[in-house]
Amino acid sequence: MVSRPPTFCPDCGTRLEKTRVDNRDRKRCPACETVVWHNPIPCASVAVVDRSRDDAAVLCVERGVPPGVGEWTLPGGHIEIGEEPAAAAARELEEETGVSVDPGALEILSASAMAPRDGKHVVTVHYVADRTDATGDPTAGSDATNARFWTPAAFDASGERFRPVHDERFREAAAVFE
């Protein structure tokens, strides 16, 4: 299994060829007959929602590293080996914003598959948490240049830009605790 379209067999290094498996085009090694599966990368994100205002605000980060430098997203990233999705979402939240939440306080918001970028496919489990279940003040962390709470109305008036799939989740999260 690989995260980008394969060209060579990861076991023996032979150039792969196309074959049909389960009525789908796959890559197969003609030397060792290994089928190399191209699977999506699992990711997790969390939207922390502050309901102490008139309009619910959601904690977001401005990306400081590719892809999407300068675009706003929900805090999140890759799930590590042996890590539960909720634990990954909580870890990424703290790394990117300095805000902590117990993974047990997270509720599943939705899941999405992003359009492939450079052959990389990502499937994300999106979580939501109430601000009262989180601790710490937002500060930009590892992958971010900014971290702050946005209401949908304030974001719309700002001229800033969301990564496409995150815009939908941002608005969905803002409405969750109404």
Side-chain angles (χ1 to χ4, degrees), residues 25-50:
D25 286 336
R26 306 285 184 193
K27 295 288 184 114
R28 180 184 156 280
C29 177
C32 67
E33 299 185 5
T34 298
V35 174
V36 181
W37 306 97
H38 180 194
N39 292 350
I41 307 257
C43 292
S45 74
V46 60
V48 176
V49 181
D50 183 350

Side-chain angles (χ1 to χ4, degrees), residues 25-175:
D25 286 336
R26 306 285 184 193
K27 295 288 184 114
R28 180 184 156 280
C29 177
C32 67
E33 299 185 5
T34 298
V35 174
V36 181
W37 306 97
H38 180 194
N39 292 350
I41 307 257
C43 292
S45 74
V46 60
V48 176
V49 181
D50 183 350
R51 297 180 299 146
S52 68
R53 315 160 189 232
D54 289 338
D55 293 329
V58 179
L59 181 57
C60 302
V61 294
E62 183 178 24
R63 290 201 47 87
V65 297
V69 173
E71 294 177 326
W72 287 85
T73 68
L74 298 178
H78 295 99
I79 299 172
E80 296 181 5
I81 298 293
E83 190 174 40
E84 292 293 323
R91 174 185 52 75
E92 288 285 346
L93 172 68
E94 188 167 9
E95 287 175 5
E96 294 183 5
T97 69
V99 173
S100 300
V101 66
D102 184 296
L106 301 180
E107 296 177 31
I108 291 180
L109 179 64
S110 63
S112 63
M114 292 183 68
R117 183 176 281 194
D118 298 325
K120 179 181 176 183
H121 296 253
V122 172
V123 172
T124 303
V125 178
H126 303 279
Y127 292 91
V128 66
D130 192 283
R131 177 69 170 121
T132 60
D133 292 326
T135 59
D137 294 318
T139 56
S142 61
D143 293 353
T145 56
N146 196 354
R148 62 169 285 188
F149 282 91
W150 286 100
T151 65
F155 191 86
D156 292 344
S158 73
E160 296 285 346
R161 209 176 53 198
F162 255 102
R163 287 188 56 77
V165 73
H166 289 269
D167 181 53
E168 187 178 332
R169 294 302 160 280
F170 162 70
R171 294 171 195 289
E172 185 179 7

